Amino acid sequence: MSNPRNITRVLQLAGLAGVVLLFLVPVIGSRALVQDLFGVLTLLILAQNWNLLAGFAGLVSVGQQAFVGVGAYAMFACVILLGMDPLVGIVVGGIAAMLLAIPMAFFSFRLAGAYFAIGTWVVAEVTRLCLAQWKALGGGTGTSLPKGTTKAMTGVPEIKAWLGGSSSAASDALTYWLALSLALATLAAAYWFLKSRMGLGLQALRDNEEAARSVGVNPTRLKAWVFMLTAFGTGLCGALLFIQITRVTPEAAFSVVDWTAFVIFITVIGGIGTLPGPIVGVIVFYFLQRTLADYGTVYLIVLGCLGIAVMLFARRGLWGLFTEKTGIELLSLRQLPPEKIHAR
C-alpha cells in the first residue's frame, strides 16, 4: 500500500463511496445535517468556479457576488413577477449572470492585476445599487418568496411521498440534491475542459501569456469564455442558494464576505490551481466553522491566521502540500508525452 498509485486508487474508491453516502444523507440523516451540507456544497460550487477563473485563467476577481446576486434576483423575478417554478428560475438566474458577464468583461478586461480585481468589485457594487432600486422586488429592503412556493416546486410532492415527513423537509432534500449534482457537474466539466485543447491553452496563458500567443492562443477570447461560463455556474448557485433562504435583499445577495471572501479563503487554503483544492478547503472551512463559530471573533482570527500560514509555508495549498509530500495525485491535469500514452 506504500505505492502512490495504489493509494490513489484507494482514495478514488473512497471518494466514490463518499459521493454515494452524500446522496443518501436526506434519507438517513437529519434535516439539520441536510441544511448544513447544503451550505457546504454551495460554497464548494462557488469555490470551484472561482478556482477555474483565478487558478487556471489567472483572473483574480473579487466581484463574484455580482453573479450570485443577479442569479438570485432573476430567480425571484421569475417566481414573483412571472409565476414560474423556482427550478426554472434557477436556469434563468444562470443565464442572467452570464449575460451580466459580457459588459463586465468588456469593462474589466481592459484592466490587469489588482486593477482587474478592483474593477470587478466596482461592477458588483454598481449592480447591487441598481437592483436595490427595483421596487417590484422590494427595493433596498428586499422581498420574500410567496408562502408555499418552495413546497410546491416540481418534485417536492414526490420526494415527500417517498421520504415521508413534511413538505419543508422534502424541499430541503430537493435543493440539497440539486446542490450536490451541480457540485459534481462543475467538477466534471472543469476536468473535461482543462484536459481539452482549450484548457491547455488557458493554462498556458496563466503561465506565460506571450508564449501562449506565439503558438496561436487568443487570450481575450479564451478568458472571456471562461469568465462567462464561471458566471453561469455562479449564477445557478446564487439562485439555488436563495431558494433555500427564501428571502433576498441587496446586502445579502451581494455580500462580498459570504460569496467572495470566504470562497477565496477556501480555494487558497485548499490549493488554488488544483481541482481537489476547493474540496479540501471547504472541508477545513466547515470543520473550523462548526468548531469555532460559538467563539465569535476568535473564529475569524483563526481563519485569518490559517490563511496567512498557508500562504507563507504552503504556497500550493494543503492539497498541493499533500501531493508534494506523498506523490499522490487525484484529478491530475498533467499531459503525458505521446510515446508514454502509446506505451500504456
Side-chain angles (χ1 to χ4, degrees):
M1 290 300 296
S2 60
N3 188 330
R5 187 171 294 179
N6 291 335
I7 298 175
T8 299
R9 290 196 184 99
V10 171
L11 290 176
Q12 289 171 341
L13 291 174
L16 289 174
V19 169
V20 172
L21 185 61
L22 285 172
F23 270 107
L24 293 175
V25 165
V27 180
I28 61 178
S30 66
R31 186 180 174 189
L33 179 61
V34 170
Q35 292 174 337
D36 276 355
L37 291 180
F38 173 83
V40 171
L41 288 169
T42 50
L43 279 175
L44 175 59
I45 296 164
L46 296 176
Q48 287 173 329
N49 280 283
W50 190 84
N51 184 43
L52 184 60
L53 191 64
F56 292 100
L59 298 171
V60 181
S61 167
V62 291
Q64 295 303 96
Q65 68 272 17
F67 305 129
V68 174
V70 166
Y73 267 91
M75 183 274 295
F76 269 72
C78 287
V79 174
I80 294 174
L81 304 180
L82 302 177
M84 293 183 178
D85 189 293
L87 299 186
V88 178
I90 293 175
V91 179
V92 175
I95 294 171
M98 186 167 61
L99 292 176
L100 172 65
I102 297 173
M104 191 172 179
F106 180 80
F107 167 74
S108 57
F109 276 23
R110 297 170 181 268
L111 308 171
Y115 298 103
F116 173 84
I118 294 171
T120 56
W121 176 75
V122 168
V123 173
E125 284 299 294
V126 170
T127 307
R128 178 183 68 82
L129 292 172
C130 291
L131 287 176
Q133 310 307 312
W134 197 351
K135 300 301 182 183
L137 294 181
T141 59
T143 188
S144 300
L145 288 174
K147 188 176 180 180
T149 297
T150 57
K151 298 178 183 179
M153 285 190 300
T154 301
V156 169
E158 291 77 8
I159 293 173
K160 179 184 177 183
W162 176 43
L163 296 180
S166 65
S167 296
S168 297
S171 173
D172 286 345
L174 176 60
T175 52
Y176 169 85
W177 277 323
L178 287 174
L180 179 56
S181 299
L182 183 55
L184 293 173
T186 303
L187 180 62
Y191 181 76
W192 172 81
F193 176 77
L194 291 169
K195 293 285 282 187
S196 71
R197 189 173 180 179
M198 289 181 67
L200 291 176
L202 185 68
Q203 294 172 76
L205 281 175
R206 175 197 61 188
D207 297 334
N208 190 319
E209 185 167 321
E210 291 304 316
R213 284 177 184 271
S214 69
V215 293
V217 177
N218 186 323
T220 303
R221 183 173 62 185
L222 189 51
K223 287 182 177 181
W225 272 111
V226 173
F227 195 69
M228 291 174 61
L229 291 174
T230 55
F232 177 72
T234 303
L236 288 177
C237 186
L240 182 58
L241 264 166
F242 282 87
I243 283 180
Q244 235 275 346
I245 296 171
T246 72
R247 178 169 179 78
V248 68
T249 64
E251 288 73 22
F254 291 86
S255 172
V256 67
V257 174
D258 291 337
W259 315 133
T260 299
F262 283 159
V263 166
I264 293 174
F265 172 83
I266 286 168
T267 308
V268 169
I269 66 167
I272 189 170
T274 66
L275 290 179
I279 300 172
V280 173
V282 82
I283 292 170
V284 173
F285 179 80
Y286 177 68
F287 174 77
L288 291 175
Q289 190 178 53
R290 296 291 295 175
T291 306
L292 302 173
D294 293 336
Y295 295 94
T297 54
V298 173
Y299 159 60
L300 296 175
I301 292 171
V302 171
L303 290 183
C305 291
L306 178 60
I308 292 170
V310 169
M311 285 186 283
L312 287 176
F313 304 109
R315 294 292 183 89
R316 297 177 59 204
L318 297 178
W319 178 256
L321 181 64
F322 174 78
T323 299
E324 182 182 327
K325 298 296 184 183
T326 64
I328 297 169
E329 291 189 75
L330 295 176
L331 300 173
S332 174
L333 298 173
R334 292 185 182 181
Q335 300 289 330
L336 293 174
E339 61 271 15
K340 290 193 175 182
I341 296 175
H342 295 312
R344 283 189 166 188

